[in-house]
């Protein structure tokens, strides 16, 4: 036994040393993590009390303190959701628990002051988690980024669907009598946890990059417009998403419809609240539909313009320069909707898409830009590209232009056009494909272990790792030995194309983006309204009840007048029909739920006019 004593002593010493290296005293209590890829990992750290009981549909509360060391070596469960598969749009799995507000940290060491990369997952704000797997591998692990680039990585869970974003009179609290944005408040509380605790993990609380993809990009861009998020992060990465939030009246109307579907509409508001709080979680999420069914994005749940957390429309806040200004990296993928569109699309379906998706005056032009073709393969490609450009490429340009005009801090636009070899080529550079390259988990996937994985994939993975971590560190993605990424110029539409090899360019899908801007009523070439000699329109700059439009036509034409928000979403149709030559005046009615800066677009044949109007 004496002979084994030195070995026993060594093992005890090593165990104590390892425990010391993986132990952290947070502001709520001590935790012990583990090691991965030569770095430290801490999983399942609570940043809020479980949002159950009376805390369901309430602002998140800081966790209760603890004194006994808490093990932080396993991930927490997902938040409740109905998880749809991209390649099986009608198939879903119900999973998750309400006690889900936890975060994860990966760090090279507990000393030092490193950039912090705080990731918000996507999923239409109704599914997804920090522990998603794709193609046989954990997608969002931070171990590779942290170990290879000396940064701290944080991933989080936040409330989703009705549990995260339900607006309803029975839930309204405070002087404003509004509700919703529980998921947004979760994200803010997680950022506050980072502000208070990340230094103990070797991170710099004054150098935090928030980045997200899809709904995570929506949430990241919305946080730019949230006053209480000011100072909690200093750079933003927006991947395949734009600042979208529902007007409160619309969100509350949808919330009432949800309550009706749950059978919670009778009695006083207090009784309706009791009914909602008593609902089983499986029933709450049973109503969820696929947010990307058929390749058409449907954000049924998400941030709400509630007047408190989100005082104004986030797009309006950003384009008027009233947001939390900082360097921004943003962009989209070349074939966003490839994995979500039907496997078979006929030429007739492409024509039907444009008949239902754009005003009549824009159908012919759309079909010339995205020809239906004569085969199903040609039709499917046009279908994918039309939905990709309408929902991602053109909106990304609008946001980049708006931010470039509204702030002095630099904006950087990217385009991801790399496609995998082999069977993966069928989906091109589809929605979310950049994520395993960015997180370096591509090498763990079934594809990464196959013969199809090649040097082009390695070039793309290195590009993402270099650009994103450089940006997190300095606010500039450029560095030594990589292709120069030009800062965005709204007049040139500068961008970088992440593929193998990486190249820079100007004017990304310009003709098609211009088309979608016109079809959505957004001015494309300057900040001034569009107008032609055949059609002139006068609209008051500020909307009031009884506001009127003055319209002048040189000849009788069929005319369509519609109202859009700054993201190109149609708010209402004001008039549609035949109108004679001469002067016309009629009342402009805008729904009560719409507010902020709106665009009134009149289209008469080949002539058009767009005017801006502010509605409080």
């Amino acid at each position: 036994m004496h002979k084994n004593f030195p070995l026993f002593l060594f093992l005890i010493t090593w165990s104590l040393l390892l425990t010391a290296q993986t132990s952290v005293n947070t502001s709520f209590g001590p935790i012990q993590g583990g090691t991965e890829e030569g770095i430290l990992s801490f999983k399942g750290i609570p940043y809020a009390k479980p949002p159950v009981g009376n805390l369901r549909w309430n602002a998140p509360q800081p966790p209760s303190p603890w004194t006994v060391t808490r093990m932080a070596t396993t991930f927490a469960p997902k938040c409740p959701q109905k998880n749809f598969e991209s390649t099986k749009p009608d198939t879903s799995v119900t999973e998750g628990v309400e006690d889900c507000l936890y975060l994860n940290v990966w760090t090279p060491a507990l000393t030092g002051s490193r950039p912090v990369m705080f990731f918000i997952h996507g999923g239409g704000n109704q599914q997804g988690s920090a522990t998603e797997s794709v193609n046989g591998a954990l997608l969002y692990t931070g171990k590779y980024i942290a170990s290879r680039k000396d940064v701290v990585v944080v991933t989080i869970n936040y409330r989703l669907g009705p549990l995260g974003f339900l607006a309803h009179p029975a839930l309204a609290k405070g002087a404003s009598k509004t509700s919703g944005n529980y998921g947004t408040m979760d994200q803010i509380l997680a950022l506050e946890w980072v502000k208070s605790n990340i230094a103990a993990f070797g991170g710099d609380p004054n150098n935090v990059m928030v980045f997200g993809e899809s709904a995570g990009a929506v949430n990241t861009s919305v946080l730019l417009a949230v006053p209480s998020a000011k100072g909690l992060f200093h750079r933003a990465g927006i991947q395949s998403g734009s600042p979208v939030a529902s007007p409160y009246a619309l969100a509350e109307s949808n919330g009432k419809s949800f309550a009706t579907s749950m059978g919670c509409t009778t009695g006083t508001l207090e009784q309706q609240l009791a009914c909602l709080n008593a609902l089983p979680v499986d029933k709450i999420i049973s109503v969820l539909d696929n947010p990307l069914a058929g390749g058409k994005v449907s954000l049924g749940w998400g941030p709400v313009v509630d007047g408190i957390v989100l005082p104004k429309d986030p797009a309006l806040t950003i384009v008027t320069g009233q947001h939390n200004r900082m360097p921004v990296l943003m962009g989209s993928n070349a074939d966003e909707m490839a994995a979500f569109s039907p496997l078979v699309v006929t030429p007739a379906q492409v024509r039907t898409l444009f008949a239902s998706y754009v005003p009549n005056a824009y159908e012919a032009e759309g079909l010339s830009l995205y020809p239906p073709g004569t085969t199903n393969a040609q039709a499917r490609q046009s279908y994918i590209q039309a939905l990709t450009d309408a929902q991602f490429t053109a909106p990304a340009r609008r946001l980049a232009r708006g931010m470039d005009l509204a702030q002095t801090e630099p904006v950087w636009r990217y385009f991801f056009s790399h496609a995998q070899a082999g069977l993966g080529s069928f989906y091109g550079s589809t929605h979310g494909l950049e994520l395993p390259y960015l997180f370096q988990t591509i090498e763990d996937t079934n594809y990464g272990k196959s013969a199809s994985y090649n040097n082009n994939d390695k070039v793309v993975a290195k590009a993402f790792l270099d650009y994103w971590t450089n940006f997190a560190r300095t606010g500039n993605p450029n560095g030594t030995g990589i292709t120069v990424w030009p800062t965005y110029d709204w007049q040139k539409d500068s961008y970088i194309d992440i593929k193998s090899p990486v190249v820079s360019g100007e004017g990304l899908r310009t003709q098609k983006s211009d088309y979608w801007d016109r079809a959505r009523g957004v001015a494309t070439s300057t900040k001034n309204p569009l107008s032609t000699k055949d059609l002139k329109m006068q609209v008051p700059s500020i909307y009031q009840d009884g506001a009127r439009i003055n319209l002048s036509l040189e000849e009788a034409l069929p005319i369509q007048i519609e109202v859009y928000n700054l993201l190109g979403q149609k708010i209402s149709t004001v008039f549609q029909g035949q109108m004679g030559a001469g002067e016309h005046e009629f009342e402009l009615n805008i729904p009560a739920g719409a507010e902020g800066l709106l665009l009134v677009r009149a289209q008469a044949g080949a002539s058009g006019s767009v005017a801006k109007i502010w509605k409080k």
Side-chain angles (χ1 to χ4, degrees), residues 522-544:
V522 182
T524 58
S525 58
T526 70
K527 290 188 286 182
N528 298 319
L530 300 175
S531 185
T532 68
K533 64 183 181 65
D534 300 321
L535 168 64
K536 298 189 185 307
M537 178 175 64
Q538 290 184 330
V539 176
S541 58
I542 298 177
Y543 178 84
Q544 295 178 335

Side-chain angles (χ1 to χ4, degrees), residues 149 412 462-463 465-486 496:
K149 286 295 183 177
W412 313 83
K462 182 180 184 302
L465 183 65
D466 288 341
Y467 287 130
W468 262 245
T469 55
N470 287 346
F471 181 75
R473 197 175 304 278
T474 67
N476 186 329
N478 290 296
T480 304
I482 55 179
T483 301
V484 174
W485 186 339
I496 198 163

Side-chain angles (χ1 to χ4, degrees), residues 165-366:
F165 300 97
L166 178 66
H168 188 277
L171 308 179
K173 295 177 176 64
S176 68
K177 297 298 181 184
T178 58
S179 55
N181 285 328
Y182 309 111
T184 303
M185 289 187 280
D186 293 343
Q187 296 157 25
I188 295 168
L189 188 62
L191 282 168
E192 291 175 348
W193 184 96
V194 167
K195 186 77 172 177
S196 301
N197 291 279
I198 208 64
F201 293 83
D204 182 355
N206 296 312
N207 190 8
V208 178
M209 172 188 176
V210 174
F211 66 119
E213 186 269 344
S214 194
V218 172
N219 297 328
T220 299
S221 57
V222 166
L223 285 172
L224 292 172
V226 173
S228 58
K230 184 177 179 62
L232 296 179
F233 66 113
H234 315 89
R235 328 207 186 288
I238 303 169
Q239 301 171 216
S240 301
S242 299
V244 179
S246 296
Y248 191 76
L250 176 61
E252 191 174 59
S253 175
N254 292 337
K256 290 177 181 177
S257 297
F258 167 80
T260 299
S261 71
M262 295 289 107
C264 295
T265 56
T266 58
T268 64
L269 289 179
E270 288 76 12
Q271 290 170 323
Q272 292 175 39
L273 175 59
C275 177
L276 289 167
N277 278 330
L279 290 171
V281 67
D282 285 356
K283 184 174 182 179
I284 292 173
I285 63 176
S286 66
V287 298
L288 297 176
D289 296 321
N290 190 333
L292 292 174
K296 297 179 182 177
V297 178
S298 174
L299 293 174
W301 298 98
V304 178
V305 183
D306 64 351
I308 302 177
V309 177
L310 191 56
K312 300 177 182 178
D313 178 84
L316 173 64
T317 301
I318 290 171
V319 299
T320 55
Q322 301 175 57
H323 61 296
N324 304 321
R325 302 182 186 185
M326 63 187 68
V328 174
L329 175 156
M330 55 164 298
S332 60
N333 298 357
D335 310 292
E336 294 273 8
M337 292 293 94
F340 305 91
S341 297
L343 293 176
V344 176
V345 178
T346 66
Q349 285 177 282
V350 176
R351 288 188 282 270
T352 300
L353 173 68
F354 278 89
S356 61
Y357 207 60
V358 301
N360 295 341
Y362 291 94
E363 283 185 48
E365 184 182 359

Side-chain angles (χ1 to χ4, degrees), residues 35-152:
T35 59
E36 290 182 276
E37 201 70 17
I39 54 108
L40 308 178
S41 64
F42 301 84
K43 302 171 182 176
I45 306 172
Y47 68 86
K49 288 181 179 177
V52 299
N54 291 332
L55 290 181
R56 178 191 277 184
W57 289 310
N58 262 301
Q61 302 299 309
S64 300
W66 62 89
T67 55
V68 177
T69 298
R70 182 185 184 108
M71 296 304 296
T73 54
T74 57
F75 290 114
K78 298 180 179 182
C79 291
Q81 59 191 270
K82 188 190 285 187
N83 203 328
F84 292 88
E85 297 182 39
S86 62
T87 56
K88 299 177 182 178
D90 298 325
T91 302
S92 65
V93 176
T94 298
E95 55 187 345
V97 300
E98 287 189 81
D99 181 4
C100 63
L101 299 185
Y102 298 81
L103 54 77
N104 315 292
V105 179
W106 290 265
T107 181
L110 300 181
T111 56
S113 186
R114 298 169 182 81
V116 179
M117 299 180 71
F118 180 102
F119 181 72
I120 304 176
H121 71 77
N125 273 320
Q126 66 174 56
Q127 67 181 56
S129 72
T131 54
E132 291 301 295
S133 293
V134 61
N135 199 217
L138 182 66
L139 181 57
Y140 303 133
T141 176
K143 64 183 180 181
Y144 295 125
I145 301 179
S147 65
R148 295 172 186 179
K149 286 295 183 177
D150 196 35
V151 299
V152 177

Side-chain angles (χ1 to χ4, degrees), residues 527-594:
K527 290 188 286 182
N528 298 319
L530 300 175
S531 185
T532 68
K533 64 183 181 65
D534 300 321
L535 168 64
K536 298 189 185 307
M537 178 175 64
Q538 290 184 330
V539 176
S541 58
I542 298 177
Y543 178 84
Q544 295 178 335
D545 290 340
R548 305 188 74 79
I549 293 177
N550 293 294
L551 200 68
S552 174
L553 282 177
E554 292 189 3
E555 60 179 309
L557 288 170
I559 189 167
Q560 188 163 315
I561 304 173
E562 297 169 320
V563 180
Y564 289 84
N565 64 21
L566 292 182
L567 291 179
Q569 299 166 319
K570 186 167 72 172
I571 302 299
S572 65
T573 298
V574 178
F575 178 86
Q576 185 172 3
Q578 189 74 18
M579 187 174 290
E583 304 291 327
H584 303 271
E585 180 182 283
F586 50 90
E587 187 172 354
L588 171 62
N589 291 311
I590 298 178

